[in-house]
Amino acid sequence: MTVVKELADFLDIARKRGWLDAVNPWRKRHSILLLGTTGVGKTNFVRSILDPNAGPVPLEARTQFPVKDRANIADSLFEIIDTPGQWRHSGRQIIELHEAIKRGVVAVINVVSFGYHEYPTGKPGVTDGTGRVSEEYLEHHRGVELVALESCKSVLRGRLPVFVTLVTKADLWWGSRDDVMHHYGSGDYGAMIEGLADSHVVKPYCSVIHKFYGEGDVSGKFDAEDQVQCRRELLRTLTEMIGRRYRDD
């Protein structure tokens, strides 16, 4: 009985991750390309799609090369391409972006975090000792996100039906979500999106609820129910994009 259960569990994981579809070349795959600077949580996001109960990725783990994962979402097979976010690998993101547009993608998702970037090199000056994150640190990293977006504009301009901005780490900024959504929707960041795609979608998200660098406070206004709702709304958006693509085709 134990062997049967283990086999059933393995097959369930294989189905969710699309491993079984590797031997089925006729099944339609919908590609999603992830962009974003280092520390915003791209890999955590991918892990949370594959397994909603996944824990945080260690800060030392960094994506060096594009990595492809498959996930079954609402009976559709998605191929999620995670790209490296470090500055020294920015050229790899641009190359992968060129290739993805050539191949055709359901969506390009730019992962951001309202300045809550986390690095493996330590955290001097990130918090003020009371658990509050330095506003200077957050503003600087929101600027880093703008610079990264600018570097992609020449490739993207007018070549996508939808550009998705995924604002991760909602558990940290949920209490200020009106300001956050304004910034990415119609503020400094949102203004830079004009002309890049036919439409721009901004979605809040939380891959895993945890303190910033293990010590900075969470907002206290975001719980597991909010996390589930954010995930549900994003998956609904992705499946709607498939339907829109079929209509356009």
Side-chain angles (χ1 to χ4, degrees):
M1 188 69 179
T2 301
V3 174
V4 173
K5 184 179 184 306
E6 289 179 353
L7 179 59
D9 290 343
F10 173 78
L11 289 174
D12 183 55
I13 293 172
R15 180 186 62 79
K16 290 178 180 177
R17 298 201 174 190
W19 296 341
L20 299 179
D21 297 291
V23 295
N24 181 1
W26 293 279
R27 181 150 187 219
K28 180 72 173 178
R29 297 170 189 169
H30 309 283
S31 295
I32 297 173
L33 180 68
L34 299 187
L35 301 176
T37 60
T38 189
V40 296
K42 296 188 302 298
T43 304
N44 267 324
F45 163 65
V46 175
R47 282 166 55 101
S48 75
I49 292 296
L50 300 174
D51 178 6
N53 299 314
V57 175
L59 291 179
E60 296 76 18
R62 294 293 160 187
T63 302
Q64 304 292 326
F65 297 92
V67 176
K68 297 179 181 179
D69 282 290
R70 291 182 185 141
N72 277 292
I73 301 173
D75 295 324
S76 295
L77 179 61
F78 284 82
E79 182 176 68
I80 305 172
I81 307 167
D82 186 9
T83 58
Q86 298 99 319
W87 284 114
R88 66 181 181 276
H89 300 318
S90 60
R92 293 175 187 165
Q93 268 201 0
I94 298 300
I95 291 171
E96 193 63 35
L97 181 56
H98 271 290
E99 292 301 316
I101 291 177
K102 285 182 184 178
R103 293 191 303 266
V105 291
V106 172
V108 168
I109 298 180
N110 192 37
V111 183
V112 295
S113 62
F114 202 56
Y116 287 94
H117 297 206
E118 294 173 271
Y119 305 105
T121 53
K123 49 184 185 305
V126 173
T127 61
D128 61 7
T130 68
R132 293 181 60 86
V133 180
S134 162
E135 187 58 37
E136 182 179 353
Y137 180 92
L138 297 177
E139 287 183 1
H140 169 73
H141 286 89
R142 288 195 284 273
V144 169
E145 294 175 351
L146 295 179
V147 171
L149 179 60
E150 180 67 34
S151 70
C152 298
K153 288 178 69 172
S154 62
V155 181
L156 287 172
R157 189 166 298 281
R159 301 177 67 185
L160 291 173
V162 183
F163 186 87
V164 179
T165 295
L166 187 73
V167 194
T168 61
K169 307 187 184 184
D171 54 316
L172 301 178
W173 51 257
W174 199 244
S176 304
R177 59 186 176 276
D178 288 344
D179 292 336
V180 173
M181 300 307 283
H182 170 75
H183 171 72
Y184 290 108
S186 57
D188 292 342
Y189 177 99
M192 292 181 65
I193 301 294
E194 287 189 32
L196 295 191
D198 294 340
S199 64
H200 177 214
V201 177
V202 182
K203 290 292 180 182
Y205 196 81
C206 174
S207 302
V208 58
I209 298 176
H210 71 125
K211 291 185 175 183
F212 188 56
Y213 274 115
E215 66 177 51
D217 288 343
V218 294
S219 73
K221 300 181 179 181
F222 188 92
D223 57 24
E225 186 175 333
D226 294 315
Q227 184 182 28
V228 169
Q229 183 61 28
C230 286
R231 185 176 190 274
R232 184 180 296 125
E233 282 296 309
L234 175 66
L235 298 186
R236 180 182 62 79
T237 297
L238 295 179
T239 54
E240 286 178 352
M241 286 179 182
I242 292 177
R244 180 183 306 172
R245 187 180 185 188
Y246 282 155
R247 289 193 299 272
D248 292 343
D249 292 344

Short mmCIF file of all heavy atoms in Angstrom, two decimals, residues 66-88:
data_model
loop_
_atom_site.label_atom_id
_atom_site.label_comp_id
_atom_site.label_asym_id
_atom_site.label_seq_id
_atom_site.Cartn_x
_atom_site.Cartn_y
_atom_site.Cartn_z
N PRO A 66 19.42 30.95 -18.07
CA PRO A 66 17.97 30.72 -18.19
C PRO A 66 17.61 29.28 -17.83
O PRO A 66 18.28 28.34 -18.24
CB PRO A 66 17.70 31.02 -19.67
CG PRO A 66 18.78 31.98 -20.06
CD PRO A 66 19.99 31.55 -19.29
N VAL A 67 16.55 29.14 -17.04
CA VAL A 67 16.09 27.82 -16.59
C VAL A 67 14.62 27.68 -16.97
O VAL A 67 13.81 28.58 -16.73
CB VAL A 67 16.24 27.67 -15.06
CG1 VAL A 67 15.67 26.34 -14.60
CG2 VAL A 67 17.70 27.81 -14.65
N LYS A 68 14.27 26.53 -17.56
CA LYS A 68 12.90 26.28 -17.98
C LYS A 68 12.24 25.25 -17.06
O LYS A 68 12.81 24.22 -16.76
CB LYS A 68 12.87 25.77 -19.42
CG LYS A 68 13.38 26.77 -20.44
CD LYS A 68 13.33 26.21 -21.84
CE LYS A 68 13.87 27.21 -22.85
NZ LYS A 68 13.85 26.67 -24.24
N ASP A 69 11.02 25.59 -16.60
CA ASP A 69 10.20 24.67 -15.82
C ASP A 69 8.83 24.57 -16.46
O ASP A 69 8.38 25.52 -17.13
CB ASP A 69 10.05 25.17 -14.37
CG ASP A 69 11.28 24.89 -13.53
OD1 ASP A 69 11.53 23.71 -13.23
OD2 ASP A 69 11.98 25.86 -13.18
N ARG A 70 8.17 23.45 -16.26
CA ARG A 70 6.83 23.27 -16.79
C ARG A 70 5.84 23.12 -15.65
O ARG A 70 6.14 22.51 -14.62
CB ARG A 70 6.77 22.03 -17.69
CG ARG A 70 7.56 22.20 -18.98
CD ARG A 70 7.44 20.98 -19.86
NE ARG A 70 8.28 21.12 -21.04
CZ ARG A 70 8.98 20.15 -21.57
NH1 ARG A 70 8.94 18.94 -21.02
NH2 ARG A 70 9.71 20.35 -22.65
N ALA A 71 4.66 23.67 -15.86
CA ALA A 71 3.62 23.59 -14.84
C ALA A 71 2.26 23.47 -15.51
O ALA A 71 2.00 24.13 -16.52
CB ALA A 71 3.64 24.83 -13.95
N ASN A 72 1.41 22.60 -14.95
CA ASN A 72 0.04 22.49 -15.42
C ASN A 72 -0.84 23.46 -14.64
O ASN A 72 -0.91 23.40 -13.42
CB ASN A 72 -0.47 21.06 -15.23
CG ASN A 72 -0.04 20.15 -16.36
OD1 ASN A 72 -0.48 20.30 -17.49
ND2 ASN A 72 0.84 19.20 -16.04
N ILE A 73 -1.47 24.37 -15.36
CA ILE A 73 -2.36 25.37 -14.75
C ILE A 73 -3.70 25.29 -15.45
O ILE A 73 -3.78 25.53 -16.66
CB ILE A 73 -1.77 26.79 -14.87
CG1 ILE A 73 -0.39 26.86 -14.19
CG2 ILE A 73 -2.72 27.81 -14.26
CD1 ILE A 73 0.32 28.18 -14.41
N ALA A 74 -4.73 24.94 -14.71
CA ALA A 74 -6.08 24.85 -15.27
C ALA A 74 -6.08 23.99 -16.55
O ALA A 74 -6.65 24.37 -17.57
CB ALA A 74 -6.65 26.24 -15.56
N ASP A 75 -5.40 22.83 -16.47
CA ASP A 75 -5.35 21.87 -17.57
C ASP A 75 -4.59 22.38 -18.79
O ASP A 75 -4.70 21.81 -19.88
CB ASP A 75 -6.76 21.43 -17.99
CG ASP A 75 -7.48 20.67 -16.89
OD1 ASP A 75 -6.79 19.91 -16.17
OD2 ASP A 75 -8.69 20.84 -16.73
N SER A 76 -3.83 23.45 -18.65
CA SER A 76 -2.99 23.95 -19.72
C SER A 76 -1.53 23.81 -19.30
O SER A 76 -1.19 24.01 -18.13
CB SER A 76 -3.30 25.41 -20.03
OG SER A 76 -4.61 25.56 -20.53
N LEU A 77 -0.67 23.47 -20.25
CA LEU A 77 0.74 23.28 -19.96
C LEU A 77 1.52 24.57 -20.22
O LEU A 77 1.51 25.10 -21.33
CB LEU A 77 1.32 22.16 -20.83
CG LEU A 77 2.82 21.88 -20.65
CD1 LEU A 77 3.12 21.45 -19.22
CD2 LEU A 77 3.28 20.81 -21.64
N PHE A 78 2.15 25.09 -19.16
CA PHE A 78 2.95 26.30 -19.27
C PHE A 78 4.43 25.96 -19.15
O PHE A 78 4.82 25.12 -18.34
CB PHE A 78 2.59 27.29 -18.15
CG PHE A 78 1.30 28.02 -18.37
CD1 PHE A 78 0.08 27.42 -18.05
CD2 PHE A 78 1.29 29.29 -18.90
CE1 PHE A 78 -1.11 28.09 -18.25
CE2 PHE A 78 0.10 29.97 -19.10
CZ PHE A 78 -1.10 29.37 -18.77
N GLU A 79 5.23 26.63 -19.96
CA GLU A 79 6.68 26.56 -19.83
C GLU A 79 7.14 27.91 -19.31
O GLU A 79 6.96 28.93 -19.98
CB GLU A 79 7.33 26.25 -21.17
CG GLU A 79 8.84 26.11 -21.09
CD GLU A 79 9.45 25.70 -22.43
OE1 GLU A 79 9.41 26.53 -23.36
OE2 GLU A 79 9.93 24.56 -22.54
N ILE A 80 7.72 27.92 -18.12
CA ILE A 80 8.14 29.16 -17.47
C ILE A 80 9.65 29.27 -17.57
O ILE A 80 10.38 28.39 -17.12
CB ILE A 80 7.70 29.18 -15.99
CG1 ILE A 80 6.18 28.96 -15.89
CG2 ILE A 80 8.08 30.50 -15.34
CD1 ILE A 80 5.69 28.77 -14.47
N ILE A 81 10.11 30.36 -18.18
CA ILE A 81 11.55 30.56 -18.41
C ILE A 81 12.05 31.60 -17.42
O ILE A 81 11.71 32.79 -17.52
CB ILE A 81 11.82 31.02 -19.85
CG1 ILE A 81 11.16 30.05 -20.85
CG2 ILE A 81 13.32 31.11 -20.10
CD1 ILE A 81 11.10 30.59 -22.26
N ASP A 82 12.84 31.16 -16.46
CA ASP A 82 13.42 32.04 -15.44
C ASP A 82 14.78 32.52 -15.94
O ASP A 82 15.61 31.72 -16.37
CB ASP A 82 13.57 31.26 -14.13
CG ASP A 82 14.03 32.13 -12.98
OD1 ASP A 82 14.08 33.37 -13.14
OD2 ASP A 82 14.35 31.56 -11.91
N THR A 83 15.00 33.83 -15.91
CA THR A 83 16.26 34.39 -16.42
C THR A 83 17.10 34.96 -15.28
O THR A 83 16.57 35.36 -14.24
CB THR A 83 15.98 35.51 -17.44
OG1 THR A 83 15.20 36.54 -16.82
CG2 THR A 83 15.26 34.96 -18.66
N PRO A 84 18.43 34.99 -15.45
CA PRO A 84 19.30 35.54 -14.40
C PRO A 84 19.09 37.04 -14.25
O PRO A 84 18.91 37.75 -15.24
CB PRO A 84 20.71 35.21 -14.89
CG PRO A 84 20.58 35.05 -16.37
CD PRO A 84 19.21 34.50 -16.61
N GLY A 85 19.13 37.51 -13.01
CA GLY A 85 18.86 38.92 -12.78
C GLY A 85 20.07 39.77 -12.45
O GLY A 85 19.99 41.00 -12.44
N GLN A 86 21.24 39.13 -12.19
CA GLN A 86 22.42 39.91 -11.82
C GLN A 86 22.87 40.79 -12.99
O GLN A 86 22.75 40.42 -14.15
CB GLN A 86 23.59 38.98 -11.42
CG GLN A 86 23.28 38.12 -10.22
CD GLN A 86 22.85 36.73 -10.63
OE1 GLN A 86 22.10 36.56 -11.58
NE2 GLN A 86 23.32 35.73 -9.91
N TRP A 87 23.43 41.95 -12.64
CA TRP A 87 23.88 42.90 -13.67
C TRP A 87 24.86 42.24 -14.64
O TRP A 87 24.82 42.49 -15.85
CB TRP A 87 24.53 44.13 -13.03
CG TRP A 87 23.55 45.07 -12.44
CD1 TRP A 87 23.39 45.37 -11.12
CD2 TRP A 87 22.56 45.85 -13.13
NE1 TRP A 87 22.36 46.27 -10.95
CE2 TRP A 87 21.84 46.58 -12.16
CE3 TRP A 87 22.21 45.99 -14.47
CZ2 TRP A 87 20.80 47.44 -12.49
CZ3 TRP A 87 21.16 46.84 -14.81
CH2 TRP A 87 20.49 47.56 -13.83
N ARG A 88 25.77 41.40 -14.11
CA ARG A 88 26.78 40.81 -15.00
C ARG A 88 26.17 39.81 -15.99
O ARG A 88 26.82 39.41 -16.95
CB ARG A 88 27.89 40.13 -14.18
CG ARG A 88 27.44 38.92 -13.37
CD ARG A 88 28.63 38.36 -12.60
NE ARG A 88 28.29 37.19 -11.82
CZ ARG A 88 27.77 37.21 -10.60
NH1 ARG A 88 27.51 38.38 -10.03
NH2 ARG A 88 27.49 36.09 -9.95
#
